[in-house]
Amino acid sequence: MQLENRIALVTGAASGLGLATATAFAREGATVVINDLRLEAAEAAASALGEKHFAVSGDVSSEEAVKAMVETVLARFGRIDILVNNAGMPDSFTPTVDQTLSHWQRLIDVHLTGTYLVSKIVAPSMIAQRSGVILNLNSIAGLMGLPVRTAYSAAKAGIGMLTQVLGCEWGPYNVRVNAVAPGYMMTPLTEKLIAEGKIDEKRIRRRTPMGKMGTAEDIAEAMVFLASDRAKFITAITLPVDGGYCSWGRHPTPSRSTEERRDDHEP
Ligand SMILES: NC(=O)c1ccc[n+]([C@@H]2O[C@H](COP(=O)([O-])OP(=O)(O)OC[C@H]3O[C@@H](n4cnc5c(N)ncnc54)[C@H](O)[C@@H]3O)[C@@H](O)[C@H]2O)c1
C-alpha cells in the first residue's frame, strides 16, 4: 500500500492509461477521483473501483469547468494529494500543410492548456498543505520529431517544459511535478489508430528495442512509483516508458524475430 490515504485526481481516466493508473492507485490504497469528458464512462469506472471512489465530468481545457471540478473534489475530500494530467486526444495524422488552425488549436487546448489549467487550479491547495504530486503525460512525440504529429508533438514538448518549470517553481513547497513519456502503448486510442491504418503495429514492434508495444499497466506502475514516497526527491523530470524507443539510434530497426526477418526476406 504505497498510496494509502491519498486523494488522487486523474483526468481523462474513463479509459486507457488514465483508467489503468486510477486502478493501480486504488490498489495501492488511494481514493481516486475519475475525471472525463464522458461522465457516464467515468462513473462506471469509479464504481468498478469501489464505493469510496468518485467521478467528475469536465473539459480540462475550460477554465470554468476545471474550477468547478476542483471545487467539487475539495468540497468532498478536503484535499488533493496527487493529480495526474492524462486527458488527451490523438492527432489527425494529416500533412501539416493540409491541417486546419482549429484542429491545431484544439490539440494545444486539451493537452497543453489543459495540463497548465488543472495544475494551476489544484496547486494552491497542495502548496498550502506543503505536499503534493503532479504527474503529466508527455509522449515520445514530445521528445523526438514524428512527421505529421504536429500539434500533438508541440503540445507534448510544451508539457515537458511545463513539468520542468512547475517542478522548479513548486519544489520549495514540497510539491513534486514529473512526467512520463509513454512509447506506443496498447489502449483504445492506439487500437483505433491501428484500425484506421494510421500507425502500423508490426513496424512499431520492430522499431522498439524491447520488440513489443507497451501496456497501460506499464505506465500505471511508473505512475505509482513517481506518486509514492519512494520518489520523494525526484522532481521536474520526464521519464520515458517506451521499451527503449527514444534511445534507438542505429539504422534501420532494433529488434527482429527470426519470423520477422523471414517476412522481410532478409538474411
Ligand atoms: N496510448 C499511447 O500509446 C500514448 C502514448 C503517449 C502518450 N499518451 C498520452 O496518454 C494520455 C492517455 O492516452 P490514452 O491512450 O489512454 O487515450 P484514451 O483515448 O484511451 O483516453 C483518453 C481519455 O481522455 C478523455 N478526454 C479527452 N479529451 C478530454 C478533455 N478535454 N477533458 C477531459 N477528458 C478528456 C477521453 O474521453 C478519454 O477517456 C493522453 O494524454 C495521450 O496523449 C498515450
Side-chain angles (χ1 to χ4, degrees):
M1 289 286 187
Q2 298 182 58
L3 303 176
E4 209 159 15
N5 301 323
R6 313 282 165 90
I7 307 296
L9 168 62
V10 186
T11 69
S15 81
L17 305 185
L19 180 57
T21 299
T23 306
F25 282 4
R27 180 197 73 208
E28 294 298 329
T31 297
V32 187
V33 181
I34 296 201
N35 153 268
D36 208 280
L37 269 183
R38 300 174 294 128
L39 181 58
E40 264 185 37
E43 281 172 342
S47 65
L49 289 185
E51 243 174 39
K52 68 175 181 174
H53 308 286
F54 187 61
V56 279
S57 65
D59 182 339
V60 296
S61 68
S62 154
E63 187 172 17
E64 206 180 314
V66 172
K67 278 184 179 161
M69 169 177 78
V70 173
E71 272 169 24
T72 303
V73 179
L74 289 176
R76 189 177 176 101
F77 296 104
R79 55 192 293 130
I80 297 172
D81 300 298
I82 304 164
L83 163 66
V84 182
N85 286 305
N86 167 81
M89 55 191 283
D91 215 322
S92 65
F93 291 73
T94 307
T96 302
V97 292
D98 298 327
Q99 292 169 9
T100 61
L101 180 58
S102 61
H103 170 74
W104 161 275
Q105 196 60 61
R106 183 66 185 149
L107 267 281
I108 298 290
D109 284 351
V110 171
H111 287 275
L112 183 55
T113 309
T115 300
Y116 164 76
L117 264 181
V118 187
S119 301
K120 171 183 173 339
I121 292 169
V122 166
S125 66
M126 290 183 168
I127 289 170
Q129 74 197 18
R130 292 293 192 269
S131 73
V133 177
I134 298 177
L135 298 172
N136 298 327
L137 265 295
N138 196 331
S139 165
I140 53 170
L143 303 177
M144 55 201 306
L146 303 180
V148 310
R149 314 273 310 260
T150 327
Y152 183 86
S153 301
K156 292 300 192 186
I159 287 171
M161 184 46 70
L162 194 58
T163 301
Q164 289 185 254
V165 170
L166 299 181
C168 293
E169 187 171 333
W170 297 336
Y173 307 106
N174 193 33
V175 175
R176 298 188 292 107
V177 186
N178 290 303
V180 295
Y184 289 95
M185 320 305 286
M186 201 53 100
T187 66
L189 184 149
T190 39
E191 277 166 18
K192 188 161 175 278
L193 294 175
I194 291 168
E196 291 169 354
K198 288 176 174 164
I199 58 175
D200 180 335
E201 187 187 348
K202 189 176 167 199
R203 290 178 69 184
I204 290 166
R205 279 196 275 109
R206 284 176 37 189
R207 171 60 182 74
T208 305
M210 292 192 80
K212 58 187 177 189
M213 287 182 71
T215 66
E217 288 68 31
D218 294 332
I219 297 302
E221 294 309 321
M223 291 289 196
V224 168
F225 167 66
L226 288 172
S228 76
D229 289 343
R230 289 193 295 152
K232 66 184 168 45
F233 199 50
I234 300 177
T235 199
I237 62 142
T238 290
L239 174 67
V241 181
D242 65 355
Y245 194 98
C246 277
S247 295
W248 178 255
R250 185 179 167 209
H251 181 77
T253 50
S255 60
R256 287 174 185 224
S257 64
T258 313
E259 196 181 306
E260 282 172 334
R261 280 177 206 228
R262 232 179 270 129
D263 285 353
D264 288 349
H265 306 288
E266 284 188 7

